[in-house]
Amino acid sequence: MLYRELCIADGRSGQLRRNLSILVEDGHIAWIRPSDGEGDPGDAEVVDAAGCTAIAGMVDAHSHITMPGGAHWIDRGGDPPGSLAAVAELNGDLLDYAGVRWARDVGAPLGVDPVDGRERALSLGVRDRWAGRPDRPYIRAAGTWLTRAGTMAATPQYAGAEDADQLVAIAMRQLDDGADLIKLYLDGPDLEVAPWTAAEIAGVVDACHARGVRVTAHATRLQNARAGVEGHVDCIEHGSQIDSDLAAEMARRGTWMVSTLAVFRSWRTFGDTTAIERFTGAENRARIAARGSLHQ
């Protein structure tokens, strides 16, 4: 397939590259050339792409491919595995249509996969089934959330540890199940207290690093993010309250952050479209606007 006379946004500058042609063979780009110097296209089908712009495939760094949207999406984690697998296919369509070619899944409910019959995080089976499909992104899946027991008591589809030894054991089990990375959930039963010490977090991080796997951590509270950074996690998800001191420490250590800023806009709309108290209370809405904390 020869796409003729299009623009390309290659991300290397603020300017479009114009009047280019792209030849695609067997699902891969064979070459990119000026439209007036493309040479003989052979028997390629020619597409008049004038007025179109090609972009590099995008990355969704924080996704939950088995989870639906909406204000009750956390509650929906308790839906039957078959329903969540169907949701994943819809999300796969959305990612494909949006031009997302890589997606990093950072948490999925545990359950018996309706296709392969394995009991593990449902995202892992979806990832395996999508491998090699041109209409689906490549998936890096973290398995399920690893939490302090009692954090998500009403939703048993997640992995809760009673102590640091059990936390490491659960993480190793996740890796045995095929997880590509590990996701710690550092907003514990008491939101104002980190559920694990930095030393306990370092224990599970070291065990994962020994197996060549990175660790990321959900943390919306400052002290919880600080415990994760001091515990050597590779990345912080959300980081709603990170201050300048912790940001400087993260930069010094090389700790990444995925800020998920678009989520805050969704929460603000929930205040206008739902009757859920955590979104509609005036104090809660002010906090959401200021910090974007899901749990306030």
Side-chain angles (χ1 to χ4, degrees):
M1 189 82 71
L2 176 65
Y3 298 87
R4 176 172 287 161
E5 201 179 343
L6 47 65
C7 293
I8 294 179
D10 61 12
R12 297 179 179 179
S13 75
Q15 304 298 317
L16 293 175
R17 298 172 58 193
R18 303 177 186 277
N19 301 316
L20 296 172
S21 295
I22 298 178
L23 180 66
V24 177
E25 294 179 342
D26 299 323
H28 298 276
I29 293 175
W31 49 252
I32 301 175
R33 298 174 181 169
S35 295
D36 58 3
E38 62 190 30
D40 182 7
D43 59 356
E45 180 181 348
V46 178
V47 175
D48 180 359
C52 298
T53 300
I55 63 171
M58 293 186 288
V59 177
D60 183 343
H62 186 110
S63 62
H64 299 281
I65 57 175
T66 60
M67 303 291 283
H72 295 284
W73 74 274
I74 294 178
D75 299 332
R76 297 278 63 76
D79 288 354
S83 297
L84 298 181
V87 164
E89 294 305 318
L90 295 175
N91 287 336
D93 288 337
L94 293 172
L95 290 166
D96 181 50
Y97 299 157
V100 173
R101 298 308 304 145
W102 285 86
R104 179 172 169 267
D105 186 284
V106 286
L110 296 168
V112 177
D113 189 286
V115 178
D116 63 30
R118 295 183 62 178
E119 186 172 6
R120 55 179 182 163
L122 296 173
S123 57
L124 301 179
V126 175
R127 174 203 62 192
D128 294 345
R129 290 190 288 277
W130 286 4
R133 285 182 56 176
D135 63 337
R136 291 291 183 266
Y138 301 98
I139 298 295
R140 297 281 291 174
T144 197
W145 300 261
L146 274 63
T147 72
R148 166 73 77 170
T151 302
M152 299 179 178
T155 49
Q157 291 80 14
Y158 314 112
E162 297 285 351
D163 55 41
D165 289 340
Q166 191 176 28
L167 181 67
V168 174
I170 293 174
M172 296 302 100
R173 193 180 314 138
Q174 291 276 305
L175 297 184
D176 291 342
D177 282 340
D180 299 308
L181 65 150
I182 290 297
K183 167 75 173 290
L184 302 179
Y185 196 93
L186 296 186
D187 289 343
D190 182 347
L191 287 173
E192 304 307 324
V193 179
W196 311 100
T197 67
E200 290 170 330
I201 294 169
V204 69
V205 171
D206 290 345
C208 291
H209 284 179
R211 292 183 60 169
V213 173
R214 293 180 177 179
V215 178
T216 194
H218 166 113
T220 64
R221 292 295 199 277
L222 176 61
Q223 70 280 359
N224 302 344
R226 182 180 293 114
V229 172
E230 293 176 353
H232 312 298
V233 298
D234 299 288
C235 182
I236 295 292
E237 310 290 321
H238 309 300
S240 308
Q241 294 183 356
I242 286 176
D243 61 14
S244 57
D245 289 340
L246 184 56
E249 180 64 14
M250 291 171 68
R252 187 185 72 80
R253 293 172 179 260
T255 310
W256 295 87
M257 187 175 85
V258 178
S259 57
T260 64
L261 294 176
V263 176
F264 305 160
R265 185 164 56 249
S266 293
W267 292 340
R268 294 191 69 175
T269 66
F270 295 158
D272 295 325
T273 60
T274 77
I276 301 174
E277 178 59 27
R278 70 171 180 263
F279 295 127
T280 57
E283 182 181 0
N284 293 343
R285 293 185 66 183
R287 287 173 175 169
I288 289 170
R291 293 199 298 260
S293 176
L294 173 63
H295 300 283
Q296 281 291 333

